[in-house]
């Protein structure tokens, strides 16, 4: 397909090269900032622009990989004069309906669920891509496109994708915040964060074969009050960290207790 990338952030920087490797043609990169547009366009070997009115005509697909807050304002200006092309956004939390009233006739969602970094190359074959279209033909086109990049392609509604995105925030963003908390505690004692990496790797590896409930360990799941109290005492000078520690500990214990109750009830009921 002939593709124009609208956006030059982390997702676009990883998606563009993957599309090239899959045999697609990158016609142009658009970004509000010249440095970002130039950098990605140079990598992809295509022209760039910072003006919506200069976005090229004639592409099969326009991928809007921009911040959620910029989508509604940007879509009409990019779609004008290109209404017959296919437009997609890549946002996990934005509905398909964001395209309504924009003049676009064919539109959809192309959501690769991953955390992206400009500095790291992403293997799209190993990550799931979720698509949605405003019609059966559009959806088929997006499924075929996704299949050129990934072995895991799913059709998912906007409502389903909202839940998926929420789950991803817990599994990724909140977990990374806990890494940052861990790094700060270690830094105060001059201990390098690298000592945590084997533990982090093993924790992530376990949920490939165990459920998160089965993989959970630590003082919170058994609600070891003595250990929890000592930890909270160590955090007394950092109110936010103490509050997070207590909230997470209670959450771990309550979720484990609830799941155990339902498992026992299910067992009793045969």
């Amino acid at each position: 397909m002939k593709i124009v990338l609208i956006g030059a952030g982390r997702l676009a920087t990883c998606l563009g090269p993957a599309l090239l490797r899959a045999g697609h043609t990158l016609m142009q990169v658009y970004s509000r900032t010249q440095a970002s547009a130039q950098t990605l366009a140079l990598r992809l070997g295509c022209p760039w622009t910072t003006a919506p009115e200069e976005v090229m005509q004639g592409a099969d697909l326009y991928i809007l990989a921009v911040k959620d807050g910029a989508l509604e304002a940007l879509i009409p200006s990019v779609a004008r004069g290109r209404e017959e092309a296919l437009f997609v956004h890549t946002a996990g939390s934005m509905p398909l309906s964001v395209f309504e009233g924009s003049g676009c006739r064919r539109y959809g969602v192309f959501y690769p669920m991953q955390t992206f970094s400009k500095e790291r190359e992403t293997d799209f074959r190993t990550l799931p891509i979720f698509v949605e279209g405003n019609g059966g033909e559009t959806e088929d086109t997006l499924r075929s496109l996704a299949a050129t990049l990934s072995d895991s392609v799913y059709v998912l509604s906007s409502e389903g994708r909202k839940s998926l995105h929420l789950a991803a925030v817990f599994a990724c963003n909140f977990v990374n915040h806990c890494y940052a908390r861990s790094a700060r505690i270690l830094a105060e004692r001059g201990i390098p964060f690298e000592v945590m990496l084997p533990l982090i790797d093993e924790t992530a590896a376990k949920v490939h074969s165990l459920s998160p409930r089965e993989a959970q360990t630590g003082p919170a799941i058994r609600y070891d009050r003595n250990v929890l109290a000592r930890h909270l005492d160590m955090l007394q000078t950092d109110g936010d960290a103490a509050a997070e520690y207590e909230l997470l500990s209670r959450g771990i214990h309550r979720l484990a207790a609830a799941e155990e109750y339902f498992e026992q009830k299910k067992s009793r009921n045969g």
Side-chain angles (χ1 to χ4, degrees):
M1 297 182 79
K2 295 184 291 183
I3 299 170
V4 169
L5 270 178
I6 309 297
R10 287 174 294 181
L11 191 155
T13 297
C14 295
L15 179 59
L19 290 167
L20 275 183
R21 289 192 295 270
H24 301 285
T25 300
L26 274 298
M27 294 178 63
Q28 188 185 40
V29 171
Y30 160 86
S31 176
R32 291 185 302 112
T33 58
Q34 180 174 329
S36 296
Q38 279 184 313
T39 299
L40 182 54
L42 180 63
R43 184 175 177 185
L44 300 177
C46 67
W48 57 271
T49 183
T50 58
E53 63 273 13
E54 294 178 0
V55 170
M56 285 185 175
Q57 304 274 355
D60 302 310
L61 173 66
Y62 293 83
I63 300 178
L64 291 102
V66 298
K67 294 180 180 178
D68 293 5
L71 266 177
E72 288 191 67
L74 187 58
I75 288 172
S77 61
V78 173
R80 194 173 299 115
R82 307 169 186 86
E83 290 84 356
E84 298 302 324
L86 173 56
F87 290 82
V88 298
H89 74 66
T90 59
S93 60
M94 294 296 287
L96 180 69
S97 60
V98 73
F99 286 102
E100 293 177 1
S102 65
C104 298
R105 294 185 174 86
R106 299 167 59 227
Y107 52 85
V109 180
F110 190 87
Y111 176 49
M113 194 184 70
Q114 183 56 283
T115 175
F116 295 98
S117 300
K118 288 186 177 182
E119 301 78 16
R120 291 175 59 84
E121 186 172 308
T122 301
D123 181 6
F124 276 75
R125 279 286 154 208
T126 65
L127 64 89
I129 298 178
F130 298 87
V131 301
E132 182 182 12
N134 71 323
E137 184 179 344
T138 298
E139 213 155 75
D140 288 344
T141 299
L142 293 177
R143 290 177 67 180
S144 297
L145 171 67
T148 66
L149 301 179
S150 172
D151 296 324
S152 301
V153 179
Y154 304 87
V155 174
L156 190 65
S157 69
S158 293
E159 285 301 309
R161 197 173 59 259
K162 283 197 298 186
S163 295
L164 181 74
H165 189 257
L166 174 59
V169 167
F170 273 94
C172 175
N173 306 133
F174 289 171
V175 170
N176 194 71
H177 174 69
C178 290
Y179 294 161
R181 285 289 187 206
S182 173
R184 176 178 287 188
I185 292 168
L186 293 172
E188 289 173 353
R189 295 292 180 180
I191 305 171
F193 181 69
E194 286 75 13
V195 302
M196 288 290 161
L197 296 181
L199 176 63
I200 290 169
D201 291 343
E202 176 61 16
T203 302
K206 282 200 297 185
V207 295
H208 283 265
S209 56
L210 301 173
S211 71
R213 166 68 180 86
E214 292 169 323
Q216 185 70 60
T217 60
I221 194 169
R222 57 184 183 272
Y223 219 70
D224 189 328
R225 296 179 184 275
N226 291 331
V227 174
L228 297 175
R230 286 199 296 271
H231 286 172
L232 284 170
D233 186 60
M234 293 171 66
L235 294 170
Q236 62 182 330
T237 59
D238 188 337
D240 287 344
E244 289 170 2
Y245 182 95
E246 188 164 18
L247 183 64
L248 286 170
S249 295
R250 289 181 185 275
I252 290 169
H253 182 67
R254 288 173 178 170
L255 183 59
E259 290 185 353
E260 184 176 353
Y261 169 79
F262 284 115
E263 285 174 6
Q264 290 174 351
K265 185 177 180 180
K266 183 178 179 181
S267 177
R268 287 197 299 269
N269 294 337

Short mmCIF file of all heavy atoms in Angstrom, two decimals, residues 169-187 193 196-197 199-200 203 216 235 238 240-249 252:
data_model
loop_
_atom_site.label_atom_id
_atom_site.label_comp_id
_atom_site.label_asym_id
_atom_site.label_seq_id
_atom_site.Cartn_x
_atom_site.Cartn_y
_atom_site.Cartn_z
N VAL A 169 -2.91 -0.11 30.70
CA VAL A 169 -2.39 0.90 31.63
C VAL A 169 -1.96 0.24 32.94
O VAL A 169 -0.89 0.54 33.48
CB VAL A 169 -3.44 2.00 31.89
CG1 VAL A 169 -3.05 2.87 33.08
CG2 VAL A 169 -3.60 2.87 30.64
N PHE A 170 -2.77 -0.68 33.44
CA PHE A 170 -2.40 -1.40 34.66
C PHE A 170 -1.16 -2.27 34.42
O PHE A 170 -0.24 -2.29 35.25
CB PHE A 170 -3.56 -2.29 35.13
CG PHE A 170 -4.54 -1.59 36.02
CD1 PHE A 170 -5.68 -1.02 35.48
CD2 PHE A 170 -4.33 -1.50 37.38
CE1 PHE A 170 -6.60 -0.36 36.29
CE2 PHE A 170 -5.23 -0.85 38.20
CZ PHE A 170 -6.38 -0.27 37.67
N ALA A 171 -1.13 -3.00 33.30
CA ALA A 171 -0.06 -3.96 33.05
C ALA A 171 1.26 -3.31 32.66
O ALA A 171 2.33 -3.91 32.85
CB ALA A 171 -0.48 -4.93 31.95
N CYS A 172 1.19 -2.08 32.15
CA CYS A 172 2.42 -1.44 31.65
C CYS A 172 2.76 -0.15 32.40
O CYS A 172 3.76 -0.08 33.09
CB CYS A 172 2.29 -1.17 30.15
SG CYS A 172 3.66 -0.26 29.42
N ASN A 173 1.90 0.84 32.27
CA ASN A 173 2.22 2.17 32.82
C ASN A 173 2.34 2.16 34.33
O ASN A 173 3.28 2.74 34.89
CB ASN A 173 1.16 3.18 32.39
CG ASN A 173 0.98 3.21 30.88
OD1 ASN A 173 -0.14 3.18 30.41
ND2 ASN A 173 2.06 3.25 30.11
N PHE A 174 1.39 1.51 35.01
CA PHE A 174 1.45 1.48 36.47
C PHE A 174 2.62 0.63 36.95
O PHE A 174 3.26 0.95 37.95
CB PHE A 174 0.13 0.94 37.05
CG PHE A 174 -1.02 1.89 36.92
CD1 PHE A 174 -2.31 1.49 37.23
CD2 PHE A 174 -0.85 3.20 36.47
CE1 PHE A 174 -3.39 2.36 37.12
CE2 PHE A 174 -1.92 4.08 36.34
CZ PHE A 174 -3.20 3.65 36.67
N VAL A 175 2.88 -0.46 36.26
CA VAL A 175 4.03 -1.31 36.62
C VAL A 175 5.33 -0.53 36.46
O VAL A 175 6.21 -0.58 37.32
CB VAL A 175 4.05 -2.59 35.76
CG1 VAL A 175 5.35 -3.35 35.95
CG2 VAL A 175 2.86 -3.49 36.12
N ASN A 176 5.45 0.24 35.37
CA ASN A 176 6.66 1.03 35.17
C ASN A 176 6.81 2.10 36.25
O ASN A 176 7.93 2.43 36.68
CB ASN A 176 6.66 1.68 33.79
CG ASN A 176 8.02 2.22 33.41
OD1 ASN A 176 8.94 1.46 33.13
ND2 ASN A 176 8.18 3.53 33.44
N HIS A 177 5.69 2.66 36.71
CA HIS A 177 5.74 3.61 37.81
C HIS A 177 6.30 2.94 39.06
O HIS A 177 7.09 3.55 39.81
CB HIS A 177 4.34 4.16 38.10
CG HIS A 177 4.27 5.03 39.31
ND1 HIS A 177 4.85 6.28 39.37
CD2 HIS A 177 3.70 4.83 40.53
CE1 HIS A 177 4.64 6.82 40.56
NE2 HIS A 177 3.95 5.95 41.28
N CYS A 178 5.93 1.69 39.29
CA CYS A 178 6.48 0.95 40.43
C CYS A 178 7.98 0.73 40.26
O CYS A 178 8.73 0.76 41.24
CB CYS A 178 5.75 -0.38 40.59
SG CYS A 178 4.05 -0.20 41.18
N TYR A 179 8.43 0.52 39.02
CA TYR A 179 9.87 0.44 38.78
C TYR A 179 10.55 1.74 39.21
O TYR A 179 11.64 1.73 39.81
CB TYR A 179 10.18 0.21 37.30
CG TYR A 179 9.74 -1.11 36.72
CD1 TYR A 179 9.61 -1.26 35.34
CD2 TYR A 179 9.47 -2.21 37.52
CE1 TYR A 179 9.22 -2.46 34.78
CE2 TYR A 179 9.07 -3.41 36.97
CZ TYR A 179 8.95 -3.53 35.60
OH TYR A 179 8.57 -4.71 35.04
N ALA A 180 9.93 2.87 38.87
CA ALA A 180 10.50 4.18 39.23
C ALA A 180 10.57 4.34 40.75
O ALA A 180 11.55 4.87 41.28
CB ALA A 180 9.68 5.30 38.60
N ARG A 181 9.54 3.89 41.46
CA ARG A 181 9.57 3.92 42.92
C ARG A 181 10.72 3.06 43.44
O ARG A 181 11.46 3.46 44.35
CB ARG A 181 8.25 3.40 43.48
CG ARG A 181 7.09 4.35 43.38
CD ARG A 181 7.24 5.51 44.35
NE ARG A 181 6.07 6.36 44.38
CZ ARG A 181 6.11 7.63 44.71
NH1 ARG A 181 7.26 8.21 45.03
NH2 ARG A 181 5.00 8.35 44.71
N SER A 182 10.85 1.88 42.88
CA SER A 182 11.92 0.97 43.28
C SER A 182 13.29 1.60 43.05
O SER A 182 14.17 1.55 43.91
CB SER A 182 11.80 -0.33 42.49
OG SER A 182 12.90 -1.18 42.74
N ALA A 183 13.47 2.23 41.89
CA ALA A 183 14.75 2.86 41.55
C ALA A 183 15.10 3.97 42.53
O ALA A 183 16.27 4.14 42.92
CB ALA A 183 14.71 3.40 40.12
N ARG A 184 14.10 4.74 42.96
CA ARG A 184 14.36 5.84 43.90
C ARG A 184 14.79 5.29 45.26
O ARG A 184 15.72 5.82 45.87
CB ARG A 184 13.11 6.70 44.05
CG ARG A 184 13.26 7.80 45.08
CD ARG A 184 12.03 8.68 45.20
NE ARG A 184 11.90 9.56 44.05
CZ ARG A 184 10.99 10.54 43.98
NH1 ARG A 184 10.13 10.72 44.98
NH2 ARG A 184 10.93 11.31 42.93
N ILE A 185 14.10 4.26 45.74
CA ILE A 185 14.47 3.66 47.03
C ILE A 185 15.90 3.14 46.99
O ILE A 185 16.70 3.34 47.92
CB ILE A 185 13.48 2.52 47.38
CG1 ILE A 185 12.10 3.12 47.69
CG2 ILE A 185 13.99 1.70 48.57
CD1 ILE A 185 10.99 2.08 47.77
N LEU A 186 16.25 2.47 45.89
CA LEU A 186 17.61 1.93 45.75
C LEU A 186 18.64 3.05 45.67
O LEU A 186 19.72 2.97 46.28
CB LEU A 186 17.69 1.05 44.50
CG LEU A 186 16.88 -0.25 44.54
CD1 LEU A 186 16.89 -0.91 43.18
CD2 LEU A 186 17.43 -1.19 45.59
N ALA A 187 18.33 4.10 44.90
CA ALA A 187 19.28 5.20 44.72
C ALA A 187 19.62 5.87 46.04
O ALA A 187 20.76 6.32 46.24
CB ALA A 187 18.71 6.22 43.74
N PHE A 193 19.90 0.11 40.12
CA PHE A 193 18.62 -0.50 39.76
C PHE A 193 18.81 -1.83 39.03
O PHE A 193 17.91 -2.69 39.04
CB PHE A 193 17.81 0.47 38.90
CG PHE A 193 16.45 -0.06 38.50
CD1 PHE A 193 15.45 -0.22 39.44
CD2 PHE A 193 16.19 -0.41 37.18
CE1 PHE A 193 14.20 -0.72 39.09
CE2 PHE A 193 14.94 -0.89 36.82
CZ PHE A 193 13.94 -1.04 37.78
N MET A 196 17.67 -5.27 40.19
CA MET A 196 16.26 -5.67 40.11
C MET A 196 15.93 -6.40 38.81
O MET A 196 14.87 -7.03 38.71
CB MET A 196 15.36 -4.45 40.24
CG MET A 196 15.29 -3.86 41.62
SD MET A 196 14.40 -4.97 42.73
CE MET A 196 14.96 -4.35 44.32
N LEU A 197 16.78 -6.29 37.81
CA LEU A 197 16.42 -6.79 36.49
C LEU A 197 16.14 -8.30 36.46
O LEU A 197 15.16 -8.72 35.82
CB LEU A 197 17.50 -6.42 35.47
CG LEU A 197 17.67 -4.90 35.24
CD1 LEU A 197 18.75 -4.64 34.19
CD2 LEU A 197 16.35 -4.26 34.82
N LEU A 199 14.91 -10.12 38.81
CA LEU A 199 13.61 -10.27 39.47
C LEU A 199 12.48 -9.82 38.54
O LEU A 199 11.44 -10.50 38.43
CB LEU A 199 13.59 -9.46 40.76
CG LEU A 199 12.26 -9.43 41.54
CD1 LEU A 199 11.90 -10.83 42.02
CD2 LEU A 199 12.37 -8.46 42.71
N ILE A 200 12.68 -8.70 37.88
CA ILE A 200 11.67 -8.19 36.94
C ILE A 200 11.46 -9.18 35.79
O ILE A 200 10.32 -9.49 35.41
CB ILE A 200 12.09 -6.81 36.40
CG1 ILE A 200 12.00 -5.76 37.51
CG2 ILE A 200 11.24 -6.40 35.19
CD1 ILE A 200 12.62 -4.42 37.16
N THR A 203 9.57 -12.28 37.04
CA THR A 203 8.17 -11.95 37.31
C THR A 203 7.37 -11.91 36.01
O THR A 203 6.24 -12.44 35.93
CB THR A 203 8.06 -10.60 38.03
OG1 THR A 203 8.81 -10.66 39.25
CG2 THR A 203 6.62 -10.27 38.35
N GLN A 216 1.48 -14.36 41.99
CA GLN A 216 1.63 -13.32 43.01
C GLN A 216 2.31 -13.87 44.27
O GLN A 216 1.93 -14.91 44.80
CB GLN A 216 0.26 -12.75 43.40
CG GLN A 216 0.33 -11.58 44.37
CD GLN A 216 0.92 -10.34 43.72
OE1 GLN A 216 0.36 -9.84 42.74
NE2 GLN A 216 2.02 -9.87 44.24
N LEU A 235 8.73 4.42 54.73
CA LEU A 235 8.23 5.36 53.73
C LEU A 235 7.57 6.59 54.35
O LEU A 235 6.96 7.39 53.63
CB LEU A 235 7.22 4.66 52.81
CG LEU A 235 7.76 3.54 51.91
CD1 LEU A 235 6.61 2.79 51.26
CD2 LEU A 235 8.70 4.10 50.85
N ASP A 238 7.82 10.01 52.76
CA ASP A 238 7.30 10.17 51.39
C ASP A 238 5.83 9.75 51.40
O ASP A 238 5.50 8.57 51.23
CB ASP A 238 8.10 9.31 50.41
CG ASP A 238 7.74 9.58 48.95
OD1 ASP A 238 6.62 10.08 48.70
OD2 ASP A 238 8.56 9.28 48.06
N ASP A 240 3.31 10.17 49.34
CA ASP A 240 2.75 9.56 48.14
C ASP A 240 3.14 8.09 48.03
O ASP A 240 2.30 7.24 47.72
CB ASP A 240 3.23 10.32 46.89
CG ASP A 240 2.56 11.67 46.73
OD1 ASP A 240 1.52 11.91 47.40
OD2 ASP A 240 3.06 12.49 45.95
N ALA A 241 4.42 7.81 48.27
CA ALA A 241 4.89 6.42 48.18
C ALA A 241 4.22 5.55 49.23
O ALA A 241 3.84 4.40 48.95
CB ALA A 241 6.41 6.37 48.33
N ALA A 242 4.06 6.08 50.45
CA ALA A 242 3.41 5.32 51.51
C ALA A 242 1.95 5.02 51.16
O ALA A 242 1.46 3.90 51.37
CB ALA A 242 3.49 6.09 52.83
N ALA A 243 1.26 6.03 50.62
CA ALA A 243 -0.14 5.83 50.24
C ALA A 243 -0.27 4.79 49.13
O ALA A 243 -1.18 3.95 49.16
CB ALA A 243 -0.74 7.16 49.79
N GLU A 244 0.62 4.85 48.15
CA GLU A 244 0.59 3.88 47.06
C GLU A 244 0.88 2.48 47.59
O GLU A 244 0.23 1.50 47.19
CB GLU A 244 1.60 4.26 45.98
CG GLU A 244 1.20 5.49 45.19
CD GLU A 244 2.32 6.01 44.29
OE1 GLU A 244 3.40 5.37 44.26
OE2 GLU A 244 2.12 7.05 43.64
N TYR A 245 1.86 2.37 48.48
CA TYR A 245 2.23 1.07 49.04
C TYR A 245 1.04 0.45 49.78
O TYR A 245 0.71 -0.73 49.59
CB TYR A 245 3.41 1.22 50.00
CG TYR A 245 3.89 -0.08 50.60
CD1 TYR A 245 4.94 -0.79 50.04
CD2 TYR A 245 3.28 -0.62 51.74
CE1 TYR A 245 5.37 -2.00 50.58
CE2 TYR A 245 3.69 -1.82 52.29
CZ TYR A 245 4.74 -2.50 51.70
OH TYR A 245 5.16 -3.70 52.24
N GLU A 246 0.38 1.26 50.60
CA GLU A 246 -0.74 0.75 51.37
C GLU A 246 -1.91 0.39 50.46
O GLU A 246 -2.55 -0.66 50.64
CB GLU A 246 -1.17 1.78 52.41
CG GLU A 246 -2.21 1.26 53.39
CD GLU A 246 -2.34 2.14 54.62
OE1 GLU A 246 -1.91 3.31 54.57
OE2 GLU A 246 -2.88 1.64 55.62
N LEU A 247 -2.21 1.22 49.48
CA LEU A 247 -3.31 0.96 48.57
C LEU A 247 -3.08 -0.31 47.76
O LEU A 247 -3.97 -1.17 47.63
CB LEU A 247 -3.50 2.15 47.62
CG LEU A 247 -4.67 2.06 46.65
CD1 LEU A 247 -6.00 2.05 47.40
CD2 LEU A 247 -4.64 3.23 45.66
N LEU A 248 -1.86 -0.47 47.25
CA LEU A 248 -1.54 -1.66 46.45
C LEU A 248 -1.56 -2.91 47.31
O LEU A 248 -2.04 -3.97 46.87
CB LEU A 248 -0.17 -1.49 45.78
CG LEU A 248 -0.13 -0.53 44.59
CD1 LEU A 248 1.32 -0.26 44.19
CD2 LEU A 248 -0.90 -1.09 43.41
N SER A 249 -1.05 -2.82 48.52
CA SER A 249 -1.03 -3.98 49.41
C SER A 249 -2.44 -4.45 49.73
O SER A 249 -2.75 -5.64 49.71
CB SER A 249 -0.27 -3.65 50.70
OG SER A 249 1.09 -3.40 50.43
N ILE A 252 -3.92 -6.07 46.55
CA ILE A 252 -3.40 -7.42 46.31
C ILE A 252 -4.11 -8.43 47.22
O ILE A 252 -4.55 -9.50 46.78
CB ILE A 252 -1.88 -7.46 46.55
CG1 ILE A 252 -1.15 -6.70 45.43
CG2 ILE A 252 -1.36 -8.90 46.61
CD1 ILE A 252 0.33 -6.45 45.72
#
